[in-house]
Amino acid sequence: MGLQQKGMHGTWASRWTFIMAATGSAVGLGNMWKFPYVAGNNGGGAFVLAYLACILLIGVPVMMAEVTIGRRGRQSPINSVRELVAESGANSAWRNLGWLGVLAGMLIISFYAVIAGWALDYIFAMASGELRGANGDAASAVFGNLLADPIRLIGWQTFFMILCVGVVVGGVKKGLGIAVEILMPLLFVMLFVLLGFSIFRGNFQAGWDFLFSFNLDALTGRGLLEAMGQAFFTLSIGMGAIMAYGAYMPQNANIGKTILTVAFFDSMVAIISGLVIFPIVFATPGLEPSAGPGLMFISLPVAFGSMPGGLLIGSAFFVLVTIAAWSSAISLLEPAVAWLIEAKNMTRVQANLLIAGGTWVLGLGSVFSFNIWSEATVAGFTFFDFLDFLTSNVMLPLSGLLIAIFVGYVMKEQFVDDEMQGTPPVVMQLWRFTLRYIAPIAISAVFVMGIYDKFFS
Ligand code: PHE
């Protein structure tokens, strides 16, 4: 890999485009679909507090480290890591860090496209009127019918992958850059409209209390691990996406400030999504906050179906979810696509077809987890549950741990300082301290506790 290949994919038009792109990557199904139901499963308040703590104490510093690697390497994650390993004279085993991230990204996109497909289906299910006046049972039946139909699921999964490829073949400036600059502001506007709806039509007080009453007793070791996994997942860290986007970041943009902005937007969307969903859940008889992955797909349609004009708002809500998923999924394709272009001399189109095709096939396993293979479980996991657990709760923490150690100890301090120019010395010290001590200890401790809790207690 020669130096002439550095920066071959281009850079974002401005720091703002990077912020939109990184926010687009971060804000996705993790915020709108997963955060509310995982918080619901873990009893609300205390989980939310642990989640926010993980974002601030571990997520932000690790995300900054990941962007630092990307921007210094200016290539796909695999090659950026490889080059930084050489530059600092580190052991070549560190190269695996790049591969780990890209592999996690491929696994995630395989099931991500399936869930995004549910949202696509619901744009039309809501608009069709079949959910008008539906109660909890009727809405569960509609959702159950969707899950039971592999052909329909595959159709939507395929459509979603085509949407993603459509953007990623356009490249950094014309594809990804333009897409996020349109999609992100649209998403924020729609989210606030829905929040207004929830404030006026839902039980806002109950939803608020559920999210913010911090009852620490409710939090288990497993819950803590899920909070940390969720923090990694939602910030898109540990899987090369943010590293790849960092490689396209203009040289003069300040990494610390930029990443704080992104983390702020991301947490805000998660909390607001909770404040959209829970007040509606609490205002609707028969709905439980702990409904699991179906929370958004069962509770919201019941609520929307019973309100005047609700079907239209409901349909708009699922457009919003689709947009959020779309701008995230493109960042999952990009790292592997960029690598194939660099290392295998493929064109952008060829690379996209190969990666999208491969992950599409893998995604079939997740599709079947909800129907013909739903009984095929190992240790209680379906194929989908297994991928979800393996990526969020094992691969991402591991990758985050390694990123912290790599930037904290392995990279020469001078190189890190070069990328962080303009950062006040106190912030630098605090950040290094976190990468060297807090993040590795916290990630390891939470990981061990969570795994023990899940499998041995
Ligand atoms: N952060 C995205 C979400 O919360 C998921 C994602 C993970 C996107 C990894 C890109 C990379 O939905």
Side-chain angles (χ1 to χ4, degrees):
M1 184 54 38
L3 284 183
Q4 71 281 4
Q5 298 237 17
K6 269 192 152 190
M8 66 187 289
H9 310 291
T11 48
W12 305 113
S14 66
R15 183 177 93 104
W16 181 247
T17 315
F18 173 81
I19 292 183
M20 287 296 97
T23 306
S25 169
V27 172
L29 294 171
N31 306 60
M32 312 193 67
W33 162 73
K34 202 170 175 197
F35 170 76
Y37 91 74
V38 180
N41 279 345
N42 285 287
F47 175 88
V48 176
L49 190 66
Y51 161 80
L52 291 175
C54 287
I55 297 250
L56 209 61
L57 295 179
I58 308 175
V60 169
V62 171
M63 195 173 182
M64 285 165 62
E66 192 171 334
V67 172
T68 304
I69 297 176
R71 194 171 67 177
R72 187 155 186 91
R74 288 250 178 256
Q75 299 163 65
S76 68
I78 292 171
N79 283 328
S80 287
V81 169
R82 168 188 268 263
E83 188 161 308
L84 265 52
V85 167
E87 183 186 54
S88 288
N91 187 310
S92 60
W94 277 102
R95 285 187 196 157
N96 293 318
L97 178 58
W99 287 100
L100 175 66
V102 172
L103 179 65
M106 298 296 87
L107 297 180
I108 291 177
I109 198 171
S110 78
F111 68 80
Y112 206 80
V114 177
I115 313 286
W118 301 353
L120 276 166
D121 188 271
Y122 265 67
I123 296 175
F124 300 95
M126 291 302 312
S128 76
E130 72 175 309
L131 283 152
R132 178 172 290 123
N135 59 15
D137 290 340
S140 299
V142 170
F143 186 55
N145 285 341
L146 170 63
L147 293 193
D149 187 345
I151 300 299
R152 202 158 127 209
L153 292 176
I154 292 171
W156 288 121
Q157 173 215 14
T158 311
F159 183 68
F160 184 76
M161 291 301 292
I162 293 173
L163 283 180
C164 296
V165 168
V167 170
V168 180
V169 291
V172 175
K173 274 215 167 79
K174 294 209 194 87
L176 300 153
I178 292 182
V180 294
E181 283 194 1
I182 299 170
L183 296 180
M184 283 301 104
L186 186 66
L187 185 127
F188 273 86
V189 171
M190 288 178 75
L191 195 59
F192 278 103
V193 171
L194 284 161
L195 181 63
F197 183 79
S198 197
I199 290 175
F200 291 112
R201 295 296 180 86
N203 185 347
F204 198 72
Q205 188 64 45
W208 180 274
D209 289 346
F210 182 74
L211 281 174
F212 297 116
S213 58
F214 301 127
N215 166 16
L216 284 178
D217 297 342
L219 200 63
T220 58
R222 178 172 172 201
L224 214 53
L225 178 61
E226 285 191 18
M228 187 173 77
Q230 174 64 13
F232 280 110
F233 185 81
T234 191
L235 291 176
S236 303
I237 45 186
M239 57 209 102
I242 286 298
M243 206 183 283
Y245 276 14
Y248 314 146
M249 188 178 182
Q251 196 61 38
N252 56 10
N254 179 299
I255 293 182
K257 263 198 261 171
T258 309
I259 292 306
L260 263 181
T261 313
V262 174
F264 172 76
F265 281 144
D266 183 65
S267 315
M268 213 172 70
V269 174
I271 299 285
I272 296 180
S273 300
L275 287 176
V276 168
I277 291 182
F278 288 117
I280 293 181
V281 169
F282 289 117
T284 314
L287 294 182
E288 288 297 329
S290 57
L295 181 66
M296 187 173 93
F297 293 94
I298 296 171
S299 54
L300 288 187
V302 171
F304 289 135
S306 67
M307 294 163 179
L311 293 180
L312 201 65
I313 300 261
S315 186
F317 176 83
F318 287 104
V319 172
L320 179 76
V321 176
T322 303
I323 291 175
W326 188 15
S327 64
S328 294
I330 55 181
S331 76
L332 286 168
L333 280 180
E334 178 64 21
V337 165
W339 180 73
L340 285 177
I341 296 172
E342 288 165 6
K344 302 288 167 210
N345 268 327
M346 287 193 183
T347 64
R348 230 173 214 281
V349 176
Q350 290 167 333
N352 264 283
L353 292 179
L354 186 65
I355 297 296
T359 50
W360 179 86
V361 172
L362 188 64
L364 297 179
S366 291
V367 166
F368 297 145
S369 295
F370 297 104
N371 35 69
I372 54 180
W373 291 354
S374 64
E375 303 299 319
T377 56
V378 177
F381 288 122
T382 61
F383 186 80
F384 163 78
D385 293 332
F386 175 72
L387 281 190
D388 182 30
F389 183 83
L390 177 71
T391 50
S392 282
N393 296 345
V394 180
M395 293 176 86
L396 303 190
L398 181 64
S399 177
L401 176 71
L402 294 177
I403 288 171
I405 296 177
F406 187 76
V407 176
Y409 294 98
V410 180
M411 263 177 84
K412 292 229 163 70
E413 279 193 25
Q414 183 56 46
F415 299 147
V416 178
D417 290 344
D418 284 352
E419 287 308 314
M420 300 299 285
Q421 265 172 25
T423 310
V426 239
V427 177
M428 276 310 281
Q429 278 172 356
L430 215 67
W431 181 52
R432 274 223 164 84
F433 184 79
T434 310
L435 291 182
R436 288 185 177 165
Y437 306 103
I438 301 187
I441 294 174
I443 297 173
S444 314
V446 171
F447 181 70
V448 171
M449 232 160 43
I451 295 292
Y452 179 84
D453 205 9
K454 176 157 181 75
F455 293 105
F456 305 102
S457 68

